[in-house]
Amino acid sequence: MENTQGHGRTVRNGSIAMIALGVLLFVLSLVYLIPHDMGVTSALRSRGVHTPAVVTECAEVSGPRDNPAGNADCRVRFTTSGGTTVETRLAYVTDTVKARDTVTVVYDPQHTDVAALASSIGFWNSLGRNVLDVVALVASVVMTLLGLAVHLGYRRLTRVRRRPNRRSEPATS
């Protein structure tokens, strides 16, 4: 019986963790990932200004074993059409540039701290990000529903086991 209670606690905690992670990923997708990716790309496509920039630094997003593509979070320095020098982080990670490279960036003149490589806002890159955003959203829903199903199923199963068998009860008169 002691082992069954430990197993029940493990199932319950695992299902609750799955529900919590699913809800967290769902909220993250709806509140940050989708609006950020679509908003940046939309702003840069509609009013973006192309300009040369110098990559000032790049930091890998994870270690080489976990990052075979070599994706890096990079900062660039460029001069706006108004003559202001801006140094900002690129909106999207990249695997195509390294520090001291000269690249073409697209920046938002209304928010000069928003910039991306011109290639990062192309159709295929945007489509790829949007597909990943939708996959994260679907995965969050599946995780939440699966966690909920396991949690409710286990509760129902343990209730059935706890019910006394009415046939074996002595008849009272």
Side-chain angles (χ1 to χ4, degrees), residues 48-172:
V49 176
H50 289 61
T51 190
V54 175
V55 180
T56 57
E57 66 178 290
C58 288
E60 286 190 19
V61 293
S62 61
R65 292 184 68 192
D66 301 326
N67 186 15
N71 287 335
D73 193 14
C74 297
R75 295 185 63 78
V76 294
R77 183 181 309 119
F78 60 91
T79 303
T80 66
S81 56
T84 307
T85 300
V86 175
E87 182 167 341
T88 189
R89 183 179 147 267
L90 289 174
Y92 305 114
V93 295
T94 181
D95 64 346
T96 59
V97 299
K98 58 188 181 302
R100 295 184 297 281
D101 282 354
T102 300
V103 294
T104 299
V105 297
V106 181
Y107 73 93
D108 182 351
Q110 295 178 5
H111 305 282
T112 56
D113 60 332
V114 176
L117 294 175
S119 60
S120 293
I121 61 169
F123 175 77
W124 293 111
N125 285 339
S126 297
L127 179 65
R129 274 190 302 278
N130 291 340
V131 166
L132 289 176
D133 292 345
V134 169
V135 166
L137 192 63
V138 169
S140 71
V141 170
V142 169
M143 284 176 63
T144 303
L145 293 177
L146 186 60
L148 193 58
V150 168
H151 185 73
L152 294 175
Y154 191 78
R155 282 184 65 185
R156 175 173 272 175
L157 181 67
T158 55
R159 282 186 186 156
V160 169
R161 287 184 183 169
R162 286 186 207 155
R163 287 185 186 160
N165 188 354
R166 294 184 181 187
R167 292 183 188 164
S168 63
E169 294 177 8
T172 56

Side-chain angles (χ1 to χ4, degrees), residues 6 13 17 29 56:
N13 290 346
S29 296
T56 57

Side-chain angles (χ1 to χ4, degrees), residues 32-44 92 129-130 133:
Y32 178 74
L33 290 175
I34 294 171
H36 174 265
D37 289 345
M38 293 183 87
V40 168
T41 300
S42 176
L44 294 178
Y92 305 114
R129 274 190 302 278
N130 291 340
D133 292 345

